[in-house]
Amino acid sequence: MRSLIINYKAYAEGIDNGLEIAAIAKKTSKKTGVDIIVAPPLSLLPSTSRVVKSFSQSMEALEPGPFTGHITWYEIQKSGASGTLINHSENRVSIEEISRTVNVCRRVGLLSVVCIQNMDEAVAIASLNPDFIAYEPQELIGGNISVSTAKPETVREFCSFVRARSKSSPLIGAGIKTSVDVAKSVELGSDGILVASGAIKADDPAKAIFDLARPLS
Ligand code: G3P
């Protein structure tokens, strides 16, 4: 089953319409058979988790304890979420922290999605075997030219490298707006996509999410 991860980031639309988007994700997942996951801000995580599979946007490799303003696996698990993004381009952490966080996720039964920006990082992360590795070139994030259009050769290389050298599933993201972008990503070997603006800031999120999911079914 292929995956569509909808990252709300800190967009106002994601906060204002977070639960409606989760309900659309659930309905579209049922209709298309695609594994649709939402990654809302932490305050919405318990509510979206009751509606559809949900991930945190980040997590730290900390046990519950005297830490102020940090996100532990315990809080994520108690919120009902199923996993977390790690090392998103907008929230980068060291390789040591990535490794610790992936291990904590494995130990406590949360799914892990490690984001990387280039092939060097893919090589460094592959042996950690997170559940997903997501290639998102930073310069394309939030734009209208998709990673599958701008960097097809790197996407192909990334997907076959991840399949050959790790147990992780390869995902791609950045600038994905249309079903054509998604179809191309599947053709290049991806198991799914990460999308933010193309769903959260769309005029009609229900249509946008359906269009993005359809080529993954
Ligand atoms: O996590 C997904 C993201 O970074 C891609 O953003 O707006 O280019 O779909 P966007």
Side-chain angles (χ1 to χ4, degrees), residues 79-95:
S79 74
S82 313
T84 186
L85 306 183
I86 300 168
N87 195 45
H88 190 278
S89 286
E90 292 147 6
N91 197 347
R92 300 265 287 169
V93 293
S94 68
I95 179 81

Side-chain angles (χ1 to χ4, degrees), residues 7 9 11 88 136 140-143 174-177 194-198:
N7 181 1
K9 302 198 173 185
Y11 284 126
H88 190 278
E136 294 203 325
L140 298 173
I141 292 178
I176 295 178
K177 294 281 188 301
L194 243 95
V195 66
S197 50

Side-chain angles (χ1 to χ4, degrees), residues 104-154:
V104 172
C105 283
R106 191 172 294 124
R107 175 166 60 80
V108 304
L110 290 171
L111 297 170
S112 53
V113 184
V114 176
C115 301
I116 53 105
Q117 295 180 343
N118 54 49
M119 279 305 295
D120 286 349
E121 291 181 8
V123 171
I125 298 303
S127 61
L128 303 179
N129 296 306
D131 295 284
F132 302 91
I133 303 178
Y135 169 52
E136 294 203 325
Q138 191 179 19
E139 67 279 12
L140 298 173
I141 292 178
N144 287 321
I145 300 174
S146 77
V147 56
S148 48
T149 302
K151 295 184 179 277
E153 283 322 311
T154 315

Side-chain angles (χ1 to χ4, degrees), residues 38 44-55 76 79-82:
V38 299
L44 288 178
L45 203 52
S47 350
T48 64
S49 295
R50 282 193 282 274
V51 177
V52 68
K53 193 163 162 187
S54 300
F55 284 180
I76 294 173
S79 74
S82 313

Side-chain angles (χ1 to χ4, degrees), residues 14-191:
I15 293 167
D16 295 342
N17 311 319
L19 280 179
E20 290 86 333
I21 292 169
I24 291 166
K26 176 72 183 175
K27 197 168 146 196
T28 310
S29 176
K30 266 196 185 151
K31 207 189 276 183
T32 58
V34 175
D35 182 31
I36 305 186
I37 300 156
V38 299
L42 201 62
S43 61
L44 288 178
L45 203 52
S47 350
T48 64
S49 295
R50 282 193 282 274
V51 177
V52 68
K53 193 163 162 187
S54 300
F55 284 180
S56 176
Q57 293 181 8
S58 70
M59 180 185 124
E60 291 161 82
L62 290 172
E63 293 304 309
F67 305 107
T68 302
H70 295 267
I71 305 172
T72 63
W73 66 265
Y74 190 70
E75 181 174 7
I76 294 173
Q77 198 178 64
K78 284 284 168 172
S79 74
S82 313
T84 186
L85 306 183
I86 300 168
N87 195 45
H88 190 278
S89 286
E90 292 147 6
N91 197 347
R92 300 265 287 169
V93 293
S94 68
I95 179 81
E96 293 78 18
E97 176 67 8
I98 295 173
S99 172
R100 281 194 291 271
T101 309
V102 168
N103 285 331
V104 172
C105 283
R106 191 172 294 124
R107 175 166 60 80
V108 304
L110 290 171
L111 297 170
S112 53
V113 184
V114 176
C115 301
I116 53 105
Q117 295 180 343
N118 54 49
M119 279 305 295
D120 286 349
E121 291 181 8
V123 171
I125 298 303
S127 61
L128 303 179
N129 296 306
D131 295 284
F132 302 91
I133 303 178
Y135 169 52
E136 294 203 325
Q138 191 179 19
E139 67 279 12
L140 298 173
I141 292 178
N144 287 321
I145 300 174
S146 77
V147 56
S148 48
T149 302
K151 295 184 179 277
E153 283 322 311
T154 315
V155 169
R156 200 189 292 280
E157 184 189 356
F158 162 74
C159 294
S160 42
F161 174 81
V162 170
R163 285 184 199 292
R165 302 293 277 277
S166 82
K167 296 184 184 124
S168 312
S169 294
L171 305 180
I172 64 167
I176 295 178
K177 294 281 188 301
T178 68
S179 56
V180 174
D181 299 332
V182 182
K184 187 92 196 278
S185 86
V186 171
E187 190 189 306
L188 294 169
S190 154
D191 276 343

